[in-house]
Amino acid sequence: MAETDCPALSVVVAIVSDTAGRPDTRHLAQCLAALTRQRGAPGMEIIVPHLPGMAGIAALCEEYPNVHFIEAQGLRTYTGRSGSREHHDELRARGLALARGNIIALIEDHGIPAPDWSAYIDATLRPPFVAVGGAIENGVDRPLNWAVYFCDFLRYQNPVPAGESAFASDANIAYRRAALESIRPVWQESFYEPAVNEALRSRGEIVALAPDVVLYQHRQGLRFGSALKERFVWGRSYAALRGKLAPRRRLLWALFSPALPVLLLARMTAMAWKKRRTLAPFLKALPLTSVLLITWAMGELAGYVTGQSARRGSAATADSAR
């Protein structure tokens, strides 16, 4: 395809949902439906990197023939048991490498973009910004869903401050392709959002937040037992990766881990009080949120002590925690 025929926007969808430790497509269909019904969207391509032999992919290929489903062979970090932070990040890197748009957006399969999401990305990602992260809202009104949402994305609940930001989530962010190409060695093997954004800032680039770029976390069939396991495994994998990046600090972080639930809950409570919009759901979900934070901290401690992911297990961005 000629360069002039390239889409304005590429959207890379990471499949992070799983059932019994196996990645699945139960959330992907509703995500793709939302993407294909965008209002006022620029020319757009959708890229879904996925594991070989994933159940449900063939049916989605037929339903969405214009979506690029990319079977990712030879992943270094997938063991066949459960997804890992590294595994998700490696899939993102595969999708990014194939993206042709001048703007490249990253979301997750259980994220449902608002109808005008892509139009606001196109309107907002202008100089001096090279990356714009959006707001993330909870889309399922159940206490457990609220608890998981508060653990993961409370920081990104509207109102988020528009403009330059020290943080943005890879569950809802868009980059200028040229900016990503300038730091390609940072993400070529694995897209780890903090490292990518820090590399951009080190070059004098600006990462921003945009409250109008809205996406809804819509996790179906969430159960308490699976949520606890997820927190532990994700916390452990987060710590293992963090320890590799700064091995000399592992012991310090391990000693600090038991205090994490109190610190994180205090920080989250302050944010919820300041935002006020969902204070009632926050208070209602508080017991569940507390247990999830304790479980995360246990996993993080295990990751620092062992230096390994659980069964080379799963991880995701716990953005409110960090």
Side-chain angles (χ1 to χ4, degrees), residues 7 9-15 45-51 68-73 75 86-101 103-107 175 177 180-181 184 187-191:
L9 173 64
S10 298
V11 183
V12 178
V13 183
I15 300 176
E45 68 174 355
I46 303 169
I47 300 171
V48 183
H50 63 88
L51 296 170
H68 304 290
F69 293 91
I70 309 299
E71 188 173 89
Q73 299 281 352
L75 294 176
E86 297 86 352
H87 154 68
H88 297 154
D89 292 346
E90 199 172 355
L91 281 176
R92 288 186 178 97
R94 296 289 184 93
L96 280 172
L98 297 172
R100 300 170 300 146
I103 298 174
I104 304 175
L106 297 175
I107 63 174
Y175 295 89
R177 179 182 176 183
L180 285 179
E181 289 293 347
R184 192 181 184 95
W187 58 262
Q188 189 164 5
E189 295 296 327
S190 179
F191 186 93

Side-chain angles (χ1 to χ4, degrees), residues 60-226:
L60 288 175
C61 287
E62 293 184 7
E63 186 175 356
Y64 297 99
N66 294 324
V67 172
H68 304 290
F69 293 91
I70 309 299
E71 188 173 89
Q73 299 281 352
L75 294 176
R76 297 177 298 104
T77 53
Y78 182 63
T79 65
R81 293 179 177 177
S82 61
S84 66
R85 182 186 191 98
E86 297 86 352
H87 154 68
H88 297 154
D89 292 346
E90 199 172 355
L91 281 176
R92 288 186 178 97
R94 296 289 184 93
L96 280 172
L98 297 172
R100 300 170 300 146
N102 292 324
I103 298 174
I104 304 175
L106 297 175
I107 63 174
E108 297 176 344
D109 58 335
H110 53 67
I112 306 298
D116 50 9
W117 174 82
S118 58
Y120 274 117
I121 286 177
D122 189 46
T124 304
L125 189 48
R126 305 291 189 203
F129 306 140
V130 300
V132 170
I136 303 174
E137 302 282 352
N138 178 39
V140 180
D141 188 15
R142 294 176 58 236
L144 182 57
N145 285 82
W146 278 112
V148 171
Y149 166 78
F150 289 134
C151 288
D152 284 343
F153 297 126
L154 177 58
R155 170 182 280 179
Y156 302 103
Q157 182 187 61
N158 265 328
V160 296
E164 185 172 357
S165 175
F167 52 85
S169 171
D170 57 13
N172 185 20
I173 192 167
Y175 295 89
R176 281 284 168 192
R177 179 182 176 183
L180 285 179
E181 289 293 347
S182 71
I183 57 164
R184 192 181 184 95
V186 177
W187 58 262
Q188 189 164 5
E189 295 296 327
S190 179
F191 186 93
Y192 182 51
E193 168 260 313
V196 170
N197 290 349
E198 181 57 33
L200 289 173
R201 292 189 190 96
S202 70
R203 295 171 57 89
E205 307 287 10
I206 300 176
V207 177
L209 286 178
D212 293 327
V213 180
V214 180
L215 177 141
Y216 295 87
Q217 185 188 50
H218 202 279
R219 299 191 62 175
Q220 305 173 32
L222 196 59
R223 297 183 178 181
F224 184 61
S226 61

